[in-house]
Amino acid sequence: MLRICHLSRLAHTLHPCRVVTHCQQPPATWRDFHVSAALLKRRKTAEEKKSPRIIEYSPKKAQEVASDIWRHMSVAQLAKELERPLDDVQEAMLYVKGADNIEASAKLSDLKIIQEIAKKLGTKTRVVATPETVNEDDQRERDAAPRPPAPPELLKPRPPVVTVMGHVDHGKTTLLDSLRGADVAGGEAGGITQHIGAFTVTLENGERVTFLDTPGHAAFSAMRARGAVATDIIVLVVAAEDGVMAQTREVIQLAKEAQVPIIVALNKIDKPEANIEKSKRELAQMGLALEEHGGDVQVIPISALKGTNLQLLAEAVSTQATLMGLRSDPTGLVEGIVVESKTDPRRGKLSTAIVSRGTLRKGSVLVSGLSHAKVRGLFDHNGQPLSEAPPGTPVEILGWRELPLAGDLILEVETEKKAHAVLKFREHEAQREKIESSSDDIRRKEEEHQAKYRAEREARRLAGRFRVRGGQRVKQVDENDGKPRVSVIIKGDVHGSVEAILDVLETYSSNDRCRLDIVHYGVGNVTEGDLELAKAFDAIIYAFAVEVPQPKAAKDVNVRSYNIIYRLIDDLKEQLSSKLPPVEVEEVLGEANVLQNFLINEGRKEVPVAGCRCTKGLLKKAQKFRLLRDGETVYDGPLESMRHLKNEVDTIKKDVECGLRFRDTKVLPQPGDILQCYTTHMEAQQTDWDPGF
């Protein structure tokens, strides 16, 4: 048992802060206890125990931002990244082994030397990849661009590219059928052109002309715009019976914007209702300077069906092409424009193009937008193989890795390696432009997130803790939940058809009533992947002029096939309407005028009765009644009684007087009030979407 004994004076002198203890054991087991004031701890008082515990945190020190360094950076770049003067960096390099060349343009290839220089300057570093610095010359080398104009001695005559345009059903395809002796209009769904067709026609004088047949339907405005850009001459087909129509005005506007000469083919002059002079006046009112009025626009009256005056039209096209002096360079790298693109189930990805410069051959490497091809086959409009395609020739190209977009420029490059480099550069540029265009939205969302984070962090600090525990997380609910929606997948035969359908769908603006979601779209037949996607999203697959799978394979999937665009849109409108909830519709059965108000005794109470005369329709006791006074509703509800000559009746006809008592006895009718008898029923809603045709 330990006992604390008094220390001797000597021990106290030697150890003033030590209490020596001893026991009945030998001196070898003695221990020392230090009781310095620094080791004492005061107990809390009762008041201090009751007070809430507040934890104060010292603010964190701002972390030093590391500077970026990379291999083969120059001394000047290092000074810029370290945010130090060049002289300071050069002075620090004098004390670093291996940093011999201190010139501003000197390259530092060793990362350890760069890190040592930064360490001497007291800066943290971070190794990053070498940044890409692309000047205009490098960019020109990495991307593909059209060649400069060829010298005049290399230019040779080429066939003109003539685009036939006009309003729907004015006879454009029939005109081309007559010119080339084929029946294309018979093969079009509903007799309406829904693609751009490109083919070469040899006229009677032996000259070759490349014709483009564009759709006239309102939904295909993008196709018409592409046809106007890719052409030399526009043949505007106007039906003499209809005159200038909506798409006729659009074509005239496109021609003026593209500065393309117009030749007017006044079609259907063989019809009795044809009015040639009226059509000419309307064309003049649209700003076309006709030849007979001193202008340069030729007007050729024709009948495409009977072949009347077609030779005059061909001569007019040939004369216009000769005046324009169309010439091109058939040598060097190929340039062209994509007219249409599609996916063939047997041959793969195909594009119809018109060669504008150079001669296209098998084996050529092409780039178009973000697509590239090594040409495996060339075909004309009849599907016959071609060995080469000179300028002005429409050609079907086989060998695309990805489907090019209609309207894109086609450029030939030397090798596939160059094509891959061009695509990589274009993808990088497209991504950069996308980031720049959305940078404002990203910055705004980031600021909102930072403000929310700071507020939550400050609240946690004031609460004395950094982590909030307990409680369930709030489920993120989509704000659109509960709204009806129609999900669709669009598959088309060519890119232009899919583009036209998507353009029409963009006009839908009633998402607040029923959402229209485009799950997927593409060119080609309906695949198994499309069916799986439709099952996952409960979507309708609209197949436009493509093959659809067998019913057994498409089980539980709604696949709808169409080959006319407005029928597809009508079906989609029905689907949208079917998703809308029914609404209560009111139908007025009859009206009556209140002539006088009576008070009759009903038991011990006096109740008001309206003396009325039916002025319109029928009054039925079982239906609802509305009492109107100066346009405002005084009462809306059922009747308690309907009498005619003291007899209780169920119906009052027109011009018959009656007495009506409301179920609410507090309502007092007055002479001059109007009484309406109406019924309500549920009626299906119709979507208010107007696609414009």
Side-chain angles (χ1 to χ4, degrees):
M1 184 176 181
L2 297 176
R3 292 184 298 109
I4 300 176
C5 65
H6 296 285
L7 303 175
S8 64
R9 187 180 298 276
L10 179 60
H12 185 70
T13 303
L14 294 174
H15 303 283
C17 295
R18 177 181 295 176
V19 178
V20 181
T21 64
H22 66 88
C23 61
Q24 297 174 356
Q25 301 293 332
T29 59
W30 289 11
R31 298 181 184 178
D32 294 340
F33 288 91
H34 296 274
V35 288
S36 170
L39 301 175
L40 295 177
K41 185 177 180 182
R42 184 177 63 84
R43 297 189 177 211
K44 289 184 178 180
T45 63
E47 293 181 357
E48 289 176 338
K49 289 180 179 180
K50 292 179 182 179
S51 63
R53 186 183 180 189
I54 299 176
I55 302 175
E56 295 183 357
Y57 298 93
S58 58
K60 291 183 179 180
K61 294 181 180 179
Q63 294 183 355
E64 186 178 354
V65 179
S67 301
D68 294 340
I69 61 171
W70 58 89
R71 197 184 301 275
H72 302 298
M73 71 187 305
S74 65
V75 177
Q77 289 174 332
L78 179 60
K80 182 179 178 182
E81 291 296 327
L82 298 180
E83 297 180 353
R84 299 292 294 270
L86 182 62
D87 295 340
D88 290 358
V89 176
Q90 291 173 332
E91 184 179 353
M93 292 176 67
L94 298 175
Y95 300 97
V96 177
K97 186 178 180 180
D100 301 326
N101 191 352
I102 64 171
E103 294 293 331
S105 59
K107 299 290 183 180
L108 302 172
S109 58
D110 194 342
L111 282 174
K112 291 184 178 179
I113 293 177
I114 300 174
Q115 291 171 337
E116 189 65 26
I117 296 170
K119 188 176 180 182
K120 293 287 184 186
L121 295 170
T123 307
K124 291 184 179 181
T125 57
R126 181 182 62 177
V127 179
V128 297
T130 304
E132 295 184 5
T133 55
V134 182
N135 54 31
E136 292 184 1
D137 295 333
D138 294 337
Q139 183 171 348
R140 197 177 297 112
E141 291 178 2
R142 297 178 64 180
D143 196 6
R147 292 180 289 157
E153 59 269 16
L154 295 179
L155 299 179
K156 294 184 178 180
R158 65 167 176 85
V161 179
V162 180
T163 302
V164 180
M165 308 178 82
H167 193 71
V168 62
D169 200 29
H170 274 201
K172 299 180 295 298
T173 307
T174 306
L175 170 61
L176 289 174
D177 289 345
S178 300
L179 287 173
R180 66 174 185 159
D183 184 13
V184 175
E188 294 282 3
I192 300 173
T193 301
Q194 302 180 93
H195 312 108
I196 286 184
F199 38 82
T200 301
V201 175
T202 302
L203 303 178
E204 290 185 2
N205 57 8
E207 294 186 6
R208 295 170 65 248
V209 178
T210 296
F211 280 99
L212 295 182
D213 182 16
T214 60
H217 194 272
F220 296 93
S221 58
M223 284 191 188
R224 286 190 293 276
R226 282 199 298 273
V229 170
T231 192
D232 300 316
I233 303 169
I234 291 178
V235 173
L236 176 59
V237 179
V238 180
E241 56 181 351
D242 295 333
V244 174
M245 303 292 285
Q247 273 67 60
T248 312
R249 299 186 186 94
E250 180 187 332
V251 170
I252 295 173
Q253 185 64 31
L254 287 172
K256 289 180 178 178
E257 292 175 358
Q259 296 182 348
V260 179
I262 294 178
I263 297 175
V264 178
L266 208 57
N267 196 18
K268 302 184 181 181
I269 59 172
D270 55 315
K271 285 197 171 186
E273 57 268 25
N275 192 335
I276 297 176
E277 294 303 321
K278 173 177 172 292
S279 300
K280 288 182 178 181
R281 284 196 303 272
E282 292 178 350
L283 289 169
Q285 291 171 1
M286 291 299 300
L288 292 183
L290 306 183
E291 271 190 342
E292 57 192 56
H293 297 155
D296 55 357
V297 177
Q298 302 179 64
V299 179
I300 314 295
I302 65 168
S303 172
L305 192 62
K306 296 185 177 180
T308 307
N309 291 340
L310 292 187
Q311 187 61 31
L312 289 176
L313 179 62
E315 291 175 0
V317 171
S318 179
T319 304
Q320 183 67 44
T322 304
L323 292 174
M324 296 175 69
L326 300 172
R327 297 156 66 94
S328 182
D329 176 16
T331 62
L333 298 177
V334 173
E335 298 175 17
I337 188 169
V338 180
V339 175
E340 194 56 272
S341 57
K342 65 180 180 179
T343 299
D344 190 277
R346 287 166 290 278
R347 294 188 294 169
K349 298 177 174 65
L350 300 170
S351 71
T352 302
I354 293 180
V355 180
S356 58
R357 186 176 182 181
T359 302
L360 183 61
R361 297 180 177 88
K362 286 181 65 174
S364 301
V365 180
L366 308 176
V367 293
S368 176
L370 299 178
S371 308
H372 79 288
K374 185 171 183 180
V375 180
R376 293 191 285 118
L378 300 173
F379 305 92
D380 64 8
H381 62 276
N382 291 321
Q384 299 300 317
L386 298 173
S387 58
E388 60 181 27
T393 305
V395 62
E396 198 170 48
I397 302 172
L398 173 64
W400 291 97
R401 304 293 193 275
E402 302 86 17
L403 206 61
L405 299 180
D408 281 356
L409 186 67
I410 295 178
L411 298 172
E412 183 183 2
V413 294
E414 295 82 359
T415 61
E416 283 195 83
K417 184 178 179 181
K418 171 70 173 177
H420 288 297
V422 169
L423 292 183
K424 186 176 180 181
F425 174 76
R426 290 183 177 182
E427 289 171 358
H428 179 269
E429 289 296 300
Q431 187 69 20
R432 184 177 59 81
E433 291 176 2
K434 183 179 179 182
I435 292 174
E436 289 178 356
S437 63
S438 58
S439 59
D440 294 337
D441 296 335
I442 295 173
R443 193 179 301 111
R444 187 179 69 253
K445 290 183 179 180
E446 187 177 356
E447 290 174 356
E448 293 175 357
H449 172 73
Q450 289 292 341
K452 183 180 178 182
Y453 167 72
R454 292 191 190 101
E456 292 178 353
R457 185 181 62 182
E458 191 64 27
R460 289 199 300 268
R461 282 190 171 177
L462 292 175
R465 61 186 184 276
F466 276 105
R467 182 175 294 177
V468 179
R469 298 181 182 272
Q472 295 181 347
R473 293 185 62 183
V474 179
K475 183 181 178 182
Q476 298 292 331
V477 180
D478 185 4
E479 61 180 3
N480 295 317
D481 277 355
K483 289 184 180 178
R485 71 175 64 207
V486 174
S487 301
V488 297
I489 296 175
I490 306 296
K491 296 302 292 283
D493 55 344
V494 295
H495 173 260
S497 299
V498 177
E499 180 188 42
I501 295 171
L502 294 177
D503 288 343
V504 175
L505 297 188
E506 282 185 2
T507 63
Y508 182 74
S509 59
S510 301
N511 282 311
D512 54 336
R513 299 178 63 198
C514 180
R515 289 182 58 83
L516 176 60
D517 292 338
I518 302 173
V519 177
H520 173 66
Y521 60 88
V523 178
N525 294 335
V526 178
T527 63
E528 193 172 330
D530 298 327
L531 298 176
E532 294 296 328
L533 200 61
K535 288 180 183 178
F537 286 90
D538 191 21
I540 303 171
I541 298 178
Y542 282 102
F544 186 79
V546 295
E547 295 179 5
V548 297
Q550 296 296 325
K552 186 180 293 186
K555 187 179 180 182
D556 301 328
V557 178
N558 192 353
V559 181
R560 296 172 177 267
S561 179
Y562 290 96
N563 52 14
I564 299 178
I565 189 169
Y566 60 79
R567 291 182 182 170
L568 185 150
I569 299 302
D570 289 343
D571 182 272
L572 182 55
K573 289 172 67 175
E574 291 179 5
Q575 295 296 323
L576 291 167
S577 299
S578 67
K579 294 290 183 178
L580 297 175
V583 293
E584 190 177 40
V585 178
E586 183 179 296
E587 180 185 358
V588 177
L589 301 177
E591 287 187 4
N593 289 337
V594 178
L595 304 178
Q596 191 174 354
N597 181 33
F598 301 97
L599 291 176
I600 64 171
N601 294 324
E602 187 73 24
R604 297 183 178 180
K605 295 182 179 179
E606 288 187 343
V607 293
V609 173
C612 308
R613 177 184 288 113
C614 182
T615 58
K616 189 185 299 183
L618 294 174
L619 303 182
K620 296 185 177 181
K621 178 182 177 182
Q623 304 302 331
K624 296 180 180 179
F625 284 78
R626 182 185 295 119
L627 184 65
L628 301 176
R629 182 176 300 155
D630 298 331
E632 296 183 0
T633 302
V634 178
Y635 173 75
D636 193 341
L639 289 180
E640 185 67 28
S641 174
M642 175 185 285
R643 294 190 178 186
H644 175 63
L645 301 177
K646 297 185 179 182
N647 297 322
E648 192 73 22
V649 294
D650 295 328
T651 304
I652 297 294
K653 296 181 181 180
K654 185 181 177 182
D655 296 330
V656 176
E657 295 183 354
C658 60
L660 305 179
R661 180 157 62 91
F662 303 123
R663 186 164 294 178
D664 186 358
T665 57
K666 297 179 180 178
V667 178
L668 298 177
Q670 295 181 3
D673 291 350
I674 297 176
L675 199 63
Q676 287 183 345
C677 174
Y678 68 94
T679 183
T680 58
H681 61 275
M682 304 304 291
E683 190 174 283
Q685 291 192 70
Q686 297 294 324
T687 180
D688 56 356
W689 179 26
D690 181 15
F693 55 83

